[in-house]
Amino acid sequence: MREEAARRTREVVVEAAGEVFVHEGYSGATIEQIAARAGVSRQTVFGVGGKAQLFAFARRRAAEGGSVSANDEGFRRILAIRDARRLLEEFAAFTAAISQRLGPLQRVLEQAAGSDPELAQLLETAQEELLECARGVLAAAAATGSLRREVPHEVAADILWLQIQPANYRRLVEERGWSHRAFEQWHAAAMITALLEPGGAG
């Protein structure tokens, strides 16, 4: 029972930390604010982690609905699709959903990385994961013979890496008022147009 109570407390603290970071920014967020939102003591918050750890935990929590890592079942299922167009459509929906969940915290991460070494490392790791993700999707699409022949593979990887940046979702949905569905459709169409031979489906 104590272990279950500790787990629930940790979840409450991490959730509260994510909310505070989004509303206050990284530099503006304090342990006191997180403790107050979670309804626990400062000592309890510190028991979960320091400020940078709490941010990393909150970001990981936001990614629990699916991530672009090789051990994510949903991502592996997408890579197994043998029709390049449908693969990119499914990938677009998958990454749009990730951007929806991670976007607010990603903005905080990008803003704070310049002044905090731990967050700078976290951002670098996140970008490396996105690039590896792009390369994996391209490898799966290349196996269908549908990629544009005139686009070098590394250039195609860079295009896809740029396409799946969470900032794109934030700018079009949050700042320009697009619906999630409109973004998802554009997201897929942009990938298909940039990467696949015209009419190519695999």
Side-chain angles (χ1 to χ4, degrees), residues 27-164:
S27 61
T30 66
I31 296 298
E32 288 78 13
Q33 289 168 336
I34 295 170
R37 187 173 288 261
V40 299
S41 68
R42 291 177 76 255
Q43 184 177 359
T44 298
V45 174
F46 278 119
V48 176
K51 195 170 173 180
Q53 288 177 304
L54 289 169
F55 185 88
F57 291 153
R59 193 173 180 279
R60 188 180 307 158
R61 180 180 181 276
E64 285 177 355
S67 66
V68 291
S69 63
N71 60 1
D72 185 273
E73 183 179 349
F75 185 50
R76 291 200 307 270
R77 178 185 60 78
I78 291 169
L79 293 180
I81 296 172
R82 294 301 174 225
D83 178 286
R85 184 184 182 92
R86 190 164 72 83
L87 186 157
L88 291 181
E89 288 173 343
E90 292 283 339
F91 181 61
F94 188 72
T95 51
I98 292 174
S99 292
Q100 184 180 41
R101 295 192 307 274
L102 276 180
L105 284 172
Q106 184 70 16
R107 176 174 56 189
V108 175
L109 177 59
E110 291 168 0
Q111 291 171 342
S115 58
D116 187 287
E118 288 184 81
L119 292 197
Q121 181 59 52
L122 182 60
L123 178 59
E124 182 179 345
T125 299
Q127 291 298 334
E128 289 172 356
E129 288 175 352
L130 287 181
L131 185 56
E132 285 306 305
C133 160
R135 288 171 175 161
V137 170
L138 282 173
T144 71
S146 301
L147 291 182
R148 286 183 177 271
R149 295 171 180 81
E150 75 274 17
V151 180
H153 195 78
E154 276 305 303
V155 172
D158 288 344
I159 291 171
L160 194 54
W161 167 81
L162 183 64
Q163 181 73 28
I164 60 178

Side-chain angles (χ1 to χ4, degrees), residues 184-195:
E184 190 179 289
Q185 291 174 330
W186 167 81
H187 195 35
M191 290 184 193
I192 291 167
T193 300
L195 300 174

